[in-house]
């Protein structure tokens, strides 16, 4: 039986409660969910004891299948079974075609910026496929933990661009998850390793998954993980190894004709099996059935495998070299090299990484689970379950952000590897007399030419006051938040008029499309929109109530006068009542806003107090010499 | 509330000087982010999150400015009412310009050298050393009593800008060489 928790009158209104939060590794091939229970982070199993959920979704006339059963059906039902959705998310149809993926789906050409695949259950986007996977993992966490999740941390490749991040966040929204943070996969792995060892210093995280590659250089100092530089390739992974091996098999077997989808799939499977077998032996037998009843048998050795894979692995090493240069770190300054991702099981990968960094990489945490575990640890901290924890993650933007200038050139506004959050402004002027509108193209990438970068969005500014050419000064601010998502704001400086911005994302869903999908998914679940909105509003209210309660218990006595304390308490009480009694989501939402307004002064006071306390530990004269602190 | 009107030096609680103890600056940076970073407000309401985002952005900007000698010098000049950034000042120093051209020529011939890696590394080191030497001169200038010291500092900042540009070009060449390996 649960013990009754009784708060001292006038003190904390809310007894401390462990808030349920999860970390989700949404992978190309496999996905996992983890959570912190009794101080330990662990991945969660399904009812059959399986931790790994294959990232495969099959659409049938009866409903949706996710995971192992869908994966097994891929051969017989390839057009309705979607795998590797992560390779497609946040991308345009033309780009997906150029990824060299062996499987082709039936893409629909349409108006939406998001490519859709025709299935027997209708047209589906990669965002919806990912949402199905997230739903299953969210449900697994809730069933295991026995309660509503208040928030989740979802991992993404560090090298994901703005569109891919936004699409992942949209998928979570469709799955009904509150996303605390999108966390970069290598940073998550560093958290899982770093907290385990308490190892201060500079570390390299080499993360090679099924479809993506990332490398990050981090400095760990007393619980603060500071990413110095990151790099990678969002279309390079173990799947590409399999393709190389499959081509070799076809070559050796002397097969020149067109192969159908099921033959290719079979050979790819054999390629994967051979690759995995070579982790344990010097050579392995390969046997495949070719069209026309032909059989081919052969031998694949480790040396042969190395010859096949080296060009791909060397590409990752080139990226490592660039990232080290960006970080301003030399190889001998690296304490540890951590291996993450299933593809680092390939011994040749470990050999070449060891050769480059001049030391044996660490492989002692299961490379499949380490990312989910790191995400769970951060989710636990973000949920506020560890108020005294010092852990803090300072990540960077992986790609430079800029705008198109005259002549199709890019002007970088925020260079790559800038610590987040960041905001930078740029001033523009008008080009014609009386001009009242202007279009700005936002691009992401490292090349000089706009055509070589990704165009993220087009912004149109309207309502610029009419002036002579060159007189208007429009300040456009680009801000990237801690999730790596971009926001743009514009203001005319001489008059202070803020120009309206209309965003036309080049990729991703519009708000209307998301609303439509949410509506459809709710109808499908035969639920009620109002009920769902009310539940969400109450969860949000609960979050705010608990956060304020924790804050009050912590420092109300120091920071608030008796009168102020009463005011805050009364405001808090009002929200508690509205949230419990009202059946109207709008009312609950308004009450949350009201409480935040009433308590803003307190939030600001807490922040200032924190800053003063942090700086009070230092003296100004510590700073007099470049060489180090002066003695007393 | 978080005082957004504080200048970068005030925010870090240090004197407005060109001399900065970078290791100590890093310590204060981490402590400030511990207080204001959005991760500390993930479970809080929207307004708190927005405030924290703005504060963390400002702390990052201050840190990026103060730890880099060129940005720090530019910022100090700006605090003293001298806008050097963006202005098309010309450098009236034939000796320095000749040196620039020499470095640029060396850069252009790197790719055809017998060992381009060794060449570009040596060149980068040379540029780094020149930047370090300029930083020492800048420090003396900021601390000096010369009535023209700010104008002179501005000239040095301009030279440093040139060198930084050369340095990033050298890095781009190195990256190209990596790709071609």
């Amino acid at each position: 039986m649960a013990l009754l928790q009784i708060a001292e009158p006038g003190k904390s209104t809310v007894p401390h409660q462990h808030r349920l939060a999860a970390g989700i590794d949404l992978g190309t091939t496999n996905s996992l969910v983890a959570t912190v229970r009794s101080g330990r982070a662990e991945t969660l199993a399904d009812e059959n004891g399986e931790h790994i959920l294959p990232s495969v979704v099959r659409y049938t006339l009866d409903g949706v299948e996710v995971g192992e059963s869908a994966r097994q059906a891929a051969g017989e039902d390839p057009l309705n079974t979607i795998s590797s959705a992560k390779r497609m998310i946040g991308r345009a149809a033309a780009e997906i075609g150029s990824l060299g993926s062996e499987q082709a789906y039936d893409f629909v050409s349409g108006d939406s910026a998001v490519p859709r695949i025709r299935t027997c259950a209708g047209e589906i986007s990669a965002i919806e496929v990912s949402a199905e996977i997230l739903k299953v993992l969210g449900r697994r966490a809730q069933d295991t933990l026995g309660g509503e999740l208040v928030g989740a941390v979802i991992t993404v490749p560090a090298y994901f661009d703005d569109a891919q991040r936004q699409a992942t966040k949209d998928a979570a929204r469709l799955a009904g998850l509150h996303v605390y943070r999108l966390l970069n996969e290598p940073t998550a792995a560093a958290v899982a390793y770093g907290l385990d060892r308490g190892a201060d210093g500079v570390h390299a995280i080499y993360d090679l998954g099924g479809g993506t590659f990332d490398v990050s250089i981090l400095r760990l100092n007393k619980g603060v993980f500071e990413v110095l530089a990151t790099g990678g390739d969002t279309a390079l992974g173990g799947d590409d190894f399999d393709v190389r091996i499959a081509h070799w098999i076809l070559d050796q077997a002397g097969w020149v004709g067109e192969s159908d989808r099921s033959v290719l799939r079979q050979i790819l499977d054999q390629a994967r099996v051979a690759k995995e077998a070579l982790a344990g032996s010097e050579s392995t037998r390969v046997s495949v059935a070719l069209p026309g009843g032909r059989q081919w048998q052969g031998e694949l050795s480790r040396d042969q495998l190395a010859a096949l894979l080296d060009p791909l692995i060397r590409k990752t090493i080139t990226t490592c070299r660039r990232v080290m240069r960006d970080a301003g770190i030399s190889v001998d300054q690296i304490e540890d090299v951590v291996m993450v991702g299933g593809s680092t099981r390939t011994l040749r990968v470990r050999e070449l990484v060891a050769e480059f960094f001049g030391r044996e990489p660490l492989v002692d945490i299961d490379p499949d689970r380490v990312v989910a575990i790191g995400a769970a640890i951060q989710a636990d901290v973000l949920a506020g379950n560890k108020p005294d924890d010092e852990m803090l993650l300072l990540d960077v933007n992986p790609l430079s952000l800029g705008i198109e200038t005259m002549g199709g050139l890019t002007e970088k506004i925020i260079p790559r590897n800038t610590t987040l959050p960041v905001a930078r402004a740029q001033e523009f002027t008008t080009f014609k007399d009386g001009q009242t509108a202007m279009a700005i193209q936002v691009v992401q990438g490292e090349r000089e030419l706009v055509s070589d970068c990704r165009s993220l969005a087009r912004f149109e500014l309207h309502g610029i006051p009419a002036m002579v050419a060159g007189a208007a000064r429009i300040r456009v601010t680009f801000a990237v938040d801690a999730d790596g998502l971009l926001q743009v704001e514009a203001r005319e400086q001489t008059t202070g008029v803020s120009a309206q911005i209309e965003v036309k994302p080049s990729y991703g869903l519009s708000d209307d499309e998301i609303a439509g999908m949410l509506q459809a998914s709710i109808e499908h679940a035969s639920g009620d929109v109002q009920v769902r909105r009310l539940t969400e509003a109450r969860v949000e209210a609960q979050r705010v109530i608990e956060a304020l309660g924790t804050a009050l218990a912590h420092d109300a006595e120091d920071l608030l006068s008796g009168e102020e304390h009463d005011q805050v308490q009364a405001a808090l009480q009002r929200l508690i009542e509205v949230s419990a009694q009202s059946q109207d989501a709008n009312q609950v939402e308004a009450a949350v806003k009201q409480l935040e307004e009433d308590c803003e002064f307190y939030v600001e006071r807490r922040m200032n107090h924190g800053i003063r306390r942090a700086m009070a530990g230092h003296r100004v004269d510590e700073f007099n010499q470049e060489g180090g602190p002066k003695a007393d | 509330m978080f005082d957004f009107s504080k200048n970068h030096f005030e925010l870090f609680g240090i004197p407005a000087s060109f001399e900065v103890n970078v290791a100590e600056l890093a310590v204060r940076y981490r402590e400030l982010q511990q207080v204001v970073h959005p991760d500390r407000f993930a479970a809080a309401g929207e307004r708190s999150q927005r405030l924290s985002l703005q504060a963390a952005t400002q702390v990052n900007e201050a840190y990026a400015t103060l730890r880099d000698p060129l940005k720090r010098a530019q910022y100090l000049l700006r605090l003293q009412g001298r806008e050097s950034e963006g202005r098309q000042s010309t450098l009236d120093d034939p000796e320095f310009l000749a040196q620039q051209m020499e470095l640029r020529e060396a850069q252009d011939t790197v790719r055809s050298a017998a060992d381009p890696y060794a060449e570009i590394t040596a060149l980068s080191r040379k540029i780094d050393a020149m930047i370090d030497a300029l930083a020492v001169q800048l420090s003396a200038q900021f601390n000096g009593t010369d009535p023209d010291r700010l104008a002179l500092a501005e000239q040095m900042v301009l030279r440093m800008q040139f060198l930084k540009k050369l340095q990033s070009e050298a890095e781009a060449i190195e990256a190209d060489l990596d790709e071609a390996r």
Side-chain angles (χ1 to χ4, degrees):
Chain A
M1 197 187 84
L3 288 175
L4 284 177
Q5 290 177 302
I6 300 168
E8 192 179 328
K11 286 271 186 178
S12 169
T13 6
V14 191
H16 181 73
Q17 211 182 342
H18 186 83
R19 288 180 274 268
L20 303 181
I24 296 179
D25 173 5
L26 182 61
T28 309
T29 321
N30 295 312
S31 297
L32 287 114
V33 59
T35 189
V36 174
R37 282 192 289 181
S38 334
R40 270 185 60 84
E42 53 192 14
T43 53
L44 304 179
D46 67 7
E47 62 277 8
N48 300 321
E50 295 293 336
H51 290 250
I52 286 177
L53 179 74
S55 304
V56 184
V57 177
R58 181 187 183 198
Y59 291 87
T60 69
L61 292 172
D62 302 330
V64 181
E65 267 179 64
V66 180
E68 188 53 36
S69 64
R71 196 180 71 80
Q72 283 175 8
E76 68 194 60
D77 191 14
L79 290 178
N80 295 312
T81 309
I82 320 294
S83 54
S84 298
K86 192 175 180 179
R87 285 194 156 203
M88 299 184 259
I89 202 163
R91 288 176 178 275
E95 288 177 295
I96 295 166
S98 69
L99 289 179
S101 164
E102 293 291 310
Q103 52 204 223
Y105 300 110
D106 189 5
F107 284 103
V108 183
S109 50
D111 304 335
S112 172
V114 174
R116 288 167 197 278
I117 298 164
R118 196 173 282 119
T119 72
C120 63
E123 295 170 4
I124 303 294
S125 70
I127 296 175
E128 289 155 284
V129 176
S130 300
E132 294 297 341
I133 298 164
L134 289 172
K135 266 185 219 167
V136 169
L137 293 173
R139 222 179 296 130
R140 186 190 292 181
Q142 297 193 352
D143 292 349
T144 316
L145 302 173
E148 281 280 310
L149 282 184
V150 292
V153 167
I154 298 177
T155 61
V156 290
Y159 216 55
F160 252 21
D161 64 23
D162 182 80
Q164 291 165 310
R165 285 168 197 270
Q166 188 59 59
T168 304
K169 220 174 170 180
D170 289 344
R173 206 169 130 197
L174 276 180
L177 292 172
H178 174 78
V179 181
Y180 277 144
R181 186 74 69 236
L182 294 179
L183 174 61
N184 290 334
E185 286 158 11
T187 312
V191 168
Y193 265 92
L195 293 190
D196 221 32
R197 293 156 187 263
D200 280 6
V202 179
H203 306 271
I205 315 290
Y206 180 101
D207 179 356
L208 189 61
T212 57
F213 168 66
D214 277 327
V215 54
S216 286
I217 310 294
L218 298 100
R219 175 177 283 124
L220 171 54
N221 192 306
K222 297 196 187 86
V224 180
F225 293 75
E226 197 182 342
V227 178
L228 303 176
T230 196
D233 189 334
T234 51
L236 175 65
D239 294 356
D240 301 289
F241 290 2
D242 299 347
V243 171
R244 286 276 165 121
I245 300 167
H247 282 302
W248 177 82
I249 293 173
L250 287 172
D251 256 13
Q252 295 296 305
W255 181 256
V256 283
E258 277 290 301
S259 304
D260 65 33
R261 216 175 253 135
S262 69
V263 172
L264 275 179
R265 207 180 263 272
Q266 187 238 134
I267 292 173
L268 275 172
D269 279 347
Q270 289 302 316
R272 185 173 45 80
V273 169
K275 176 185 75 180
E276 286 167 6
L278 286 177
S281 65
E282 282 296 323
S283 79
T284 185
R285 287 201 74 70
V286 185
S287 129
V288 290
L290 292 164
R294 265 186 65 200
Q295 278 282 332
W296 177 81
Q297 286 206 339
E299 193 82 14
L300 180 64
S301 68
R302 272 191 192 165
D303 284 350
Q304 184 59 51
L305 183 75
L308 290 171
L309 302 188
D310 275 9
L312 294 176
I313 305 172
R314 296 227 181 262
K315 261 173 92 173
T316 70
I317 299 294
T318 298
T319 305
C320 289
R321 200 174 281 128
R322 199 206 80 202
V323 170
M324 298 280 286
R325 186 181 309 114
D326 282 357
I329 292 288
S330 59
V331 163
D332 52 304
Q333 288 171 280
I334 301 260
E335 301 272 337
D336 286 317
V337 182
V338 172
M339 296 298 247
V340 188
S343 301
T344 59
R345 289 211 172 84
T346 301
L347 293 180
R348 187 62 183 163
V349 172
R350 293 188 189 173
E351 278 170 26
L352 291 186
V353 170
E355 186 187 298
F356 175 71
F357 285 103
R359 75 206 56 217
E360 281 308 311
L362 298 177
V363 290
D364 41 324
I365 303 186
D366 181 345
D368 286 325
R369 294 193 195 186
V370 61
V371 166
I373 285 174
I377 294 171
Q378 203 208 9
D380 193 45
V381 172
L382 295 187
N385 289 329
K386 289 184 175 170
D388 298 322
D389 201 297
E390 289 201 311
M391 190 183 100
L392 185 66
L393 313 184
L394 298 167
D395 226 307
V396 299
N397 67 324
L399 294 153
S400 301
L401 276 167
I403 47 139
E404 176 176 355
T405 59
M406 296 293 227
L409 295 175
T410 59
E411 161 129 358
K412 283 179 188 167
I413 311 262
I414 302 177
R416 69 168 185 249
N417 294 320
T418 304
T419 306
L420 301 179
V422 61
R424 295 275 158 84
Q426 181 81 18
E427 277 192 7
F428 297 91
T429 189
T430 45
F431 160 91
K432 277 192 211 151
D433 288 347
Q435 183 180 341
T436 58
M438 158 183 307
I440 294 167
Q441 188 83 22
V442 182
V443 295
Q444 191 162 31
E446 306 310 321
R447 313 300 290 266
E448 295 296 314
L449 289 175
V450 167
S451 52
D452 293 335
C453 291
R454 269 197 109 194
S455 161
L456 285 181
R458 216 177 115 86
F459 296 96
E460 284 182 13
L461 309 185
H462 297 279
I464 301 169
M467 289 186 237
V468 292
R473 283 169 55 222
I474 296 124
R475 192 177 172 81
V476 180
T477 307
F478 293 73
V480 183
D481 67 14
D483 290 325
L485 294 173
L486 171 71
Q487 275 197 334
V488 182
E489 207 181 81
R491 184 176 290 272
E492 203 287 314
Q493 294 292 96
T494 53
T495 57
V497 172
S498 77
Q500 299 107 48
I501 301 185
E502 198 183 317
V503 189
K504 289 177 187 154
S506 309
Y507 309 88
L509 298 171
S510 66
D511 276 352
D512 285 349
E513 283 177 296
I514 292 196
M517 284 180 190
L518 268 176
Q519 184 75 32
S521 71
I522 290 162
E523 276 162 12
H524 194 68
S526 68
D528 182 323
V529 188
Q530 287 309 318
V531 171
R532 175 155 167 173
R533 266 199 61 209
L534 182 61
T535 311
E536 278 176 1
R538 281 188 176 148
V539 169
E540 172 69 11
Q542 196 55 33
R543 217 156 56 79
V544 172
I545 291 166
E546 284 180 15
L548 187 57
T550 311
L552 284 171
H554 203 244
D555 57 21
E557 269 179 41
D558 300 336
L559 298 182
L560 295 178
S561 69
E563 197 183 328
E564 286 167 334
H565 192 211
D566 291 346
Q567 276 173 18
V568 172
Q569 281 289 1
L572 183 58
Q573 204 51 43
R574 274 196 298 277
L575 177 61
I576 292 172
E577 280 163 21
V578 172
S579 171
Q581 288 159 14
S582 173
Q583 298 302 318
D584 180 353
N586 290 332
Q587 247 174 25
V588 178
E589 280 167 11
V592 169
K593 280 224 163 62
Q594 188 59 48
L595 177 69
E596 289 197 68
E597 240 167 75
D598 293 345
C599 297
E600 194 166 7
F601 76 97
Y602 175 44
V603 174
E604 287 167 0
R605 208 173 281 177
R606 294 194 78 212
M607 197 180 274
N608 268 331
H609 179 68
I611 292 170
R612 265 203 309 279
R613 209 176 38 201
M615 294 301 101
H618 300 281
R619 299 181 323 272
V620 164
D621 63 1
E622 285 172 347
F623 248 89
N624 286 352
Q625 292 298 318
E626 182 95 21
K630 263 188 176 173
D632 273 336
Chain B
M1 65 168 283
F2 182 85
D3 191 351
F4 289 99
S5 68
K6 273 189 183 169
N7 76 36
H8 296 340
F9 292 101
E10 290 164 352
L11 181 58
F12 276 73
I14 62 175
S17 153
F18 184 71
E19 268 86 61
V20 158
N21 175 342
V22 177
E24 178 64 23
L25 193 73
V27 172
R28 290 180 186 222
Y29 167 66
R30 288 191 287 266
E31 287 172 353
L32 282 170
Q33 285 294 15
Q34 285 282 14
V35 178
V36 302
H37 194 272
D39 279 6
R40 291 282 168 269
F41 296 84
E46 237 173 82
R47 274 165 176 261
S48 313
Q49 288 186 353
R50 201 164 48 235
L51 185 70
S52 136
L53 180 65
Q54 286 167 349
T57 300
Q58 181 139 337
V59 170
N60 274 337
E61 192 59 36
Y63 183 50
T65 305
L66 296 185
R67 73 176 158 173
D68 177 67
L70 176 59
K71 287 188 186 150
R72 188 163 67 232
Q74 287 168 333
Y75 186 69
L76 270 170
L77 287 170
R78 206 159 63 225
L79 287 181
Q80 314 250 16
R82 293 196 168 241
E83 284 292 337
S84 69
E85 273 174 299
R87 202 171 66 188
Q88 291 300 321
S89 332
T90 44
L91 203 52
D92 186 20
D93 181 346
E95 202 184 323
F96 181 75
L97 291 176
Q99 200 180 26
Q100 288 300 296
M101 285 174 55
E102 211 175 288
L103 286 170
R104 204 168 282 278
E105 255 169 55
Q107 233 172 37
D108 290 342
T109 55
V110 156
R111 285 168 210 267
S112 49
D115 184 351
Y117 258 109
E119 289 285 316
I120 197 72
T121 310
L123 201 57
S124 288
R125 292 235 172 87
K126 196 167 166 188
I127 299 170
D128 282 346
M130 290 171 75
I131 291 175
D132 289 348
L134 255 182
V136 173
Q137 287 181 38
L138 254 177
S139 166
Q141 210 53 250
F142 274 117
N143 289 328
T145 51
D146 190 332
D148 290 334
R149 61 200 181 87
L150 290 182
L152 289 167
E154 253 178 353
Q155 285 288 306
M156 291 179 182
V157 163
L158 268 177
R159 284 188 212 174
M160 208 188 249
Q161 269 174 337
F162 275 114
L163 291 172
K164 284 271 183 182
K165 190 152 186 286
L166 274 174
Q167 193 186 41
S168 70
E169 282 165 10
E171 276 175 18
I173 292 174
E174 232 181 305
D176 277 355
L177 291 174
D178 282 346
E179 297 280 339
R181 261 197 194 198

